[in-house]
């Protein structure tokens, strides 16, 4: 097989991987009324002033109180949503990250299995149980949506696409293979591929998190207001903040409103 044909095969494989990395579930349609209401709620959130932090003990009590409801509900939603995936792991360890100094929450995989962590500063900054429940449910959404797996696939696909194009360009120009050009192109492609669906994944996690919080007895609309806080995208250290990795915007609040409307109309979560 010639270099050009091989490049075409790699490119086709990478494009197929990218197209398979969209959201798993249908995002709700948003009405004009929900958009208007979201703008109002977002504006109210942006007008908030800094909160006096809760004590560590009060924050821990809030965390344990909310976790007791969210964990069984999140597991039930996960099991129902992934019933066709066989051995999908829905048992999640949910705990406090006591080392992180910034307000943040995240989902990850460790040797023990899937893990969700909320930092103590985030818990101390929460205004009510609804906010903690929504953040916790949102992180469950990343598990159920398989976002880590998909981002890895996208990064690989992006690297293959740009690396292949760089190699093909060199071949078409009659140049010899340049490993440095291909390597730099693959690094750029991996970064671009990893970010390709980030906003869609956040909205999908909001949709799933809304359902989990609602089913657990919390108000996801009140909870989502935490995302509308007037905060910067980066910390003093230069790293992305909670609002940088979970960007606040009116569309996210509107998505929560639309999902609540679906729940109250007894519309089930739909796969794409």
């Amino acid at each position: 097989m010639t270099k050009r044909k091989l490049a075409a095969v790699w490119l086709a494989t990478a494009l197929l991987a990218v197209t398979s990395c969209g959201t798993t579930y249908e995002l709700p349609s948003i009405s004009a009324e929900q958009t208007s209401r979201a703008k109002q709620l977002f504006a109210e959130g942006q007008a908030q002033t800094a909160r006096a932090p809760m004590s560590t003990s009060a924050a821990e009590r809030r965390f344990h109180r909310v976790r007791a409801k969210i964990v069984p509900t999140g597991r039930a939603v996960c099991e129902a949503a992934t019933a066709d995936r066989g051995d999908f792991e829905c048992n999640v360890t949910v705990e406090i990250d006591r080392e992180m100094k910034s307000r943040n929450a995240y989902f990850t995989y460790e040797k023990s299995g899937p893990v969700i962590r909320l930092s103590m500063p985030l818990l101390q900054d929460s205004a009510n149980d609804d906010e903690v429940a929504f953040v916790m449910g949102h992180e469950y959404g990343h598990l159920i949506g398989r976002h880590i797996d998909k981002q890895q696939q996208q990064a690989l696909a992006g690297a293959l696409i740009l690396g292949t194009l760089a190699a093909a360009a060199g071949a078409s120009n009659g140049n010899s293979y340049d490993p440095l050009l291909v390597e730099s192109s693959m690094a750029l492609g991996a970064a671009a591929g990893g970010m390709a669906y980030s906003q869609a994944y956040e909205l999908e996690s909001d949709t799933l998190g809304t359902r989990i919080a609602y089913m657990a007895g919390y108000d996801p609309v009140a909870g989502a207001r935490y995302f509308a806080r007037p905060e910067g995208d980066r910390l003093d250290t230069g790293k992305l903040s909670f609002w940088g990795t979970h960007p606040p915007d009116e569309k996210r609040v509107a998505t929560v409103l639309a999902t609540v409307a679906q729940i109250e109309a007894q519309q089930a979560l739909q796969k794409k």
Side-chain angles (χ1 to χ4, degrees):
M1 184 179 292
T2 66
K3 287 183 179 179
R4 191 167 296 179
K5 287 183 178 179
L6 183 59
V9 171
W10 285 351
L11 184 59
T13 302
L15 289 171
L16 179 62
V18 168
T19 57
S20 67
C21 289
T23 60
T24 302
Y25 304 97
E26 292 285 354
L27 300 180
S29 298
I30 298 171
S31 68
E33 181 181 355
Q34 288 161 348
T35 297
S36 177
R37 176 62 175 153
K39 288 182 178 180
Q40 178 185 347
L41 291 173
F42 188 80
E44 291 173 359
Q46 290 283 292
Q48 293 181 45
T49 57
R51 301 171 181 172
M54 300 171 62
S55 67
T56 300
S57 59
E60 288 201 19
R61 288 195 298 272
R62 172 166 286 165
F63 171 81
H64 290 295
R65 186 166 61 242
V66 172
R67 184 178 65 175
K69 293 184 178 181
I70 291 294
V71 167
T73 305
R75 183 170 61 247
V77 171
C78 178
E79 290 174 350
T82 62
D84 60 341
R85 298 186 202 170
D87 59 351
F88 192 87
E89 182 58 74
C90 290
N91 291 316
V92 183
T93 299
V94 181
E95 58 190 21
I96 299 173
D97 186 326
R98 300 181 186 277
E99 301 298 323
M100 184 174 285
K101 304 303 181 184
S102 61
R103 291 166 292 171
N104 216 327
Y106 58 92
F107 165 73
T108 189
Y109 283 105
E110 296 183 351
K111 290 182 179 179
S112 59
V115 178
I116 290 171
R117 292 194 181 97
L118 282 67
S119 74
M120 179 56 73
L122 182 146
L123 293 167
Q124 290 179 289
D125 187 52
S126 62
N128 49 56
D129 288 11
D130 296 311
E131 290 186 347
V132 173
F134 185 79
V135 170
M136 209 176 281
H138 173 92
E139 297 305 327
Y140 262 98
H142 287 305
L143 163 70
I144 299 169
R146 296 174 51 242
H147 295 161
I148 289 179
D149 296 338
K150 289 184 178 183
Q151 283 189 323
Q152 291 173 342
Q153 293 170 16
Q154 288 160 213
L156 175 60
L160 285 173
I161 289 172
L162 284 192
T164 300
L165 291 176
S172 66
N173 291 329
N175 298 326
S176 60
Y177 176 78
D178 185 347
L180 293 179
L181 173 61
V182 173
E183 183 179 350
S184 62
S185 296
M186 290 183 72
L188 179 61
M195 294 186 296
Y197 291 94
S198 60
Q199 181 67 7
Y201 289 165
E202 292 302 326
L203 292 174
E204 184 174 41
S205 287
D206 287 343
T207 300
L208 291 160
T210 296
R211 288 181 175 273
I212 291 169
Y214 189 99
M215 290 174 61
Y218 295 102
D219 181 350
V221 177
R225 294 178 68 142
Y226 191 80
F227 286 85
R229 297 282 300 283
E231 301 283 346
D233 289 345
R234 293 189 179 272
L235 304 169
D236 293 339
T237 59
K239 293 183 178 180
L240 287 172
S241 70
F242 183 76
W243 289 265
T245 56
H246 300 76
D249 59 36
E250 297 163 6
K251 187 174 182 180
R252 302 189 69 183
V253 179
T255 296
V256 173
L257 290 168
T259 303
V260 169
Q262 283 186 334
I263 296 169
E264 293 178 344
Q266 299 185 340
Q267 294 180 23
L269 184 67
Q270 297 293 323
K271 284 193 173 183
K272 295 184 71 173

